[in-house]
Amino acid sequence: MAEFTFELNDDQKQVRDWLNGFAKDVMRPAAAEWDEREETPWPVIQEAAKVGIYSLDFYAQQFFDPTGLGIPMALEELFWGDAGIGLSIVGTGLAAVGVLANGTEEQIGTWIPQMYGDADDVKVAAFCSSEPDAGSDVGAMRTRAVYDEAKDEWVLNGTKTWATNGGIANVHVVVAVVDAEIGSKGHASFIVPPNTPGLSQGQKFKKHGIRASHTAEVVLENVRVPGHCLLGGKDKLDERLARARERAATSGGERVKNAAMATFEASRPAVGAMAVGTARAAYEVALDYAKTRSQFGRPIIDNQGIAFQLADMRTQIDAARLLVWRASWMAAAGKPFDSAEGSMSKLYASETAKKVTAQAVQILGGNGYTREYPVERMHRDAAIYTIFEGTSEIQRLVIARTLSGMPIR
Ligand SMILES: Cc1cc2nc3c(=O)[nH]c(=O)nc-3n(C[C@H](O)[C@H](O)[C@H](O)COP(=O)(O)OP(=O)(O)OC[C@H]3O[C@@H](n4cnc5c(N)ncnc54)[C@H](O)[C@@H]3O)c2cc1C
């Protein structure tokens, strides 16, 4: 009979403890400062690069962990350290995954090293998909990529928004429309190399939380990139477009749209793991506080009203982690998300993080409401998880559609 265990193996425990040490000793002491500064914490990223946490190799190793738990375990620890700095460290990964998923071997080998740089000269990368009028509705994307055959160049025009590391990235990965007739199947991804004319940073957003992570608009004005910057190459794109056009003509647009949604589904447990990290961090502060803060002559945890909240918080965090691990294990084992398990894990973990961090603020009373204690920041940070990589409403839509097979709106 196949072995079944919830225990991490020795290698995984070693990596987890190492990351936990970095999160505790390097990220946590820097968290409040970079949150206040609302700037990319370059020295911390550099430190992460020096010890090997900020590198493609590290994430590739975790990705290829056959149990599927390498990535969620790593993300939980880093985001337990701090969500804003955590996103600054792993944000480049979004763009790297875009290249790994769609690029040729040559593109992977050329661009990913330029995304990370090295410990002496760290770089970041940005993945630019969202637009002012195309957030949840990816199909409404307007940024166009037009092929200039004479020069073998693609010309990109449009405005991207909410791009993590947008404008400060060495390499931008930009999703653009190449065929507007077939919805999101008519999209393609392009590398915009360092210092390409026409790409500029628009507004940098002042945010509620994860303030150490840079988020900005990216404006593309006649940005010309060489033909080899189309991820996957022109032949593959032409084949894919021909197939999609044929399918759209025979089975209607809905099926085309659903296939795209299935792709997003796969990356969602990673955000769930980040949310678990933030929730666990806030819960631990609250538990400690409840045991040491006395009112009416006894620790506040002596009141069921507080103790039961902590019991629920911990139960929900563990449940969230199990959903994230299930989805991650399924993805690694090549099992399809027939019941939208990826979306379930992201939905539950992100809502849990929002709830648990709010409860932590309440348990710390007045102190919870100040920046003297980290739960105030964690509560602000947690709000992002129900928004990016598909809002909670979109997760519910995906789950409901998957379960029912109906085009629920
Ligand atoms: C800090 C941050 C970092 C980000 N990083 C990136 C990045 O690196 N790259 C990138 O491309 N994008 C990024 N995003 C964008 C993010 O993915 C979008 O914000 C998200 O997809 C939601 O889009 P929107 O903000 O336009 O909201 P909208 O789509 O306008 O949604 C507004 C509200 O309407 C609800 N809603 C929309 N449609 C439906 C529906 N059919 N049914 C029910 N409710 C609905 C939503 O759930 C939400 O509550 C980032 C966003 C933030 C805030």
Side-chain angles (χ1 to χ4, degrees):
M1 207 163 94
E3 195 185 330
F4 180 80
T5 175
F6 281 118
E7 268 242 278
L8 297 177
N9 62 39
D10 288 346
D11 287 349
Q12 289 168 329
K13 282 184 191 155
Q14 209 180 353
V15 174
R16 181 198 59 192
D17 294 348
W18 171 58
L19 291 170
N20 185 268
F22 183 83
K24 193 158 136 253
D25 301 337
V26 181
M27 296 172 76
R28 284 198 161 183
E33 179 191 342
W34 293 100
D35 173 59
E36 288 297 336
R37 286 173 68 163
E38 297 194 49
E39 285 170 14
T40 302
W42 290 107
V44 186
I45 303 177
Q46 188 164 27
E47 200 56 34
K50 270 191 201 147
V51 298
I53 292 172
Y54 186 71
S55 72
L56 177 68
D57 281 357
F58 172 68
Y59 295 102
Q61 257 173 34
Q62 299 315 310
F63 184 79
F64 289 113
D65 176 342
T67 67
L69 301 189
I71 292 286
M73 190 191 64
L75 293 174
E76 180 179 332
E77 292 313 316
L78 293 175
F79 282 70
W80 173 87
D82 181 60
I85 297 177
L87 192 61
S88 291
I89 293 175
V90 306
T92 295
L94 279 179
V97 167
V99 176
L100 283 171
N102 300 307
T104 62
E105 271 183 31
E106 202 184 334
Q107 288 169 328
I108 292 169
T110 305
W111 299 111
I112 293 187
Q114 297 191 50
M115 291 181 169
Y116 285 93
D118 56 48
D120 294 327
D121 185 19
V122 283
K123 304 283 187 201
V124 292
F127 180 75
C128 312
S129 171
S130 302
E131 297 183 2
D133 291 324
S136 302
D137 185 4
V138 181
M141 190 178 287
R142 288 199 200 138
T143 296
R144 290 302 302 248
V146 177
Y147 188 53
D148 178 346
E149 202 161 354
K151 293 189 172 157
D152 183 28
E153 286 178 345
W154 287 90
V155 187
L156 306 176
N157 276 290
T159 299
K160 293 292 178 182
T161 194
W162 306 124
T164 299
N165 298 334
I168 61 165
N170 199 35
V171 177
H172 290 76
V173 175
V174 174
V175 186
V177 178
V178 290
D179 182 338
E181 300 298 313
I182 48 174
S184 47
K185 277 285 170 189
H187 297 172
S189 298
F190 298 86
I191 293 283
V192 180
N195 306 315
T196 302
L199 183 149
S200 60
Q201 181 185 305
Q203 181 189 2
K204 177 189 169 187
F205 295 104
K206 287 180 80 67
K207 303 196 299 296
H208 178 59
I210 53 162
R211 300 196 303 180
S213 170
H214 171 106
T215 317
E217 288 176 329
V218 172
V219 181
L220 303 144
E221 284 174 308
N222 290 321
V223 172
R224 287 187 162 267
V225 298
H228 62 76
C229 286
L230 166 65
L231 288 178
K234 183 93 171 42
D235 291 346
K236 205 168 149 201
L237 174 70
D238 289 342
E239 275 170 38
R240 181 163 67 76
L241 291 179
R243 274 201 312 273
R245 284 179 197 125
E246 201 179 310
R247 269 209 302 270
T250 54
S251 59
E254 199 54 45
R255 207 178 128 198
V256 169
K257 216 169 167 183
N258 287 344
M261 279 183 147
T263 315
F264 288 125
E265 171 81 348
S267 64
R268 288 178 172 157
V271 178
M274 299 173 190
V276 171
T278 302
R280 190 183 111 212
Y283 156 80
E284 286 173 3
V285 175
L287 176 65
D288 193 44
Y289 192 88
K291 281 163 46 178
T292 50
R293 168 73 176 167
S294 280
Q295 285 293 276
F296 302 101
R298 59 201 166 105
I300 58 170
I301 198 169
D302 263 11
N303 304 289
Q304 280 191 0
I306 298 289
F308 282 13
Q309 276 195 73
L310 286 158
D312 284 347
M313 287 155 78
R314 177 59 195 266
T315 303
Q316 287 159 9
I317 292 166
D318 280 15
R321 185 184 299 106
L322 287 174
L323 284 175
V324 167
W325 282 15
R326 175 179 72 166
S328 306
W329 169 78
M330 288 177 75
K335 294 185 187 298
F337 288 156
D338 286 337
S339 302
E341 287 87 347
S343 283
M344 280 189 202
S345 71
K346 199 257 176 185
L347 171 64
Y348 190 78
S350 61
E351 293 290 343
T352 294
K354 244 170 92 165
K355 200 159 60 183
V356 163
T357 54
Q359 285 173 299
V361 168
Q362 188 66 20
I363 289 170
L364 267 73
N367 281 331
Y369 200 62
T370 70
R371 294 198 183 174
E372 297 299 310
Y373 284 78
V375 291
E376 182 270 346
R377 185 180 66 250
M378 292 166 184
H379 180 43
R380 284 187 285 108
D381 291 344
I384 191 57
Y385 301 125
T386 60
I387 296 174
F388 68 8
E389 281 281 314
T391 64
S392 284
E393 291 74 20
I394 295 302
Q395 306 306 331
R396 290 188 177 98
L397 207 59
V398 172
I399 296 166
R401 280 178 183 164
T402 309
L403 296 179
S404 67
M406 306 283 285
I408 294 166
R409 292 158 59 86

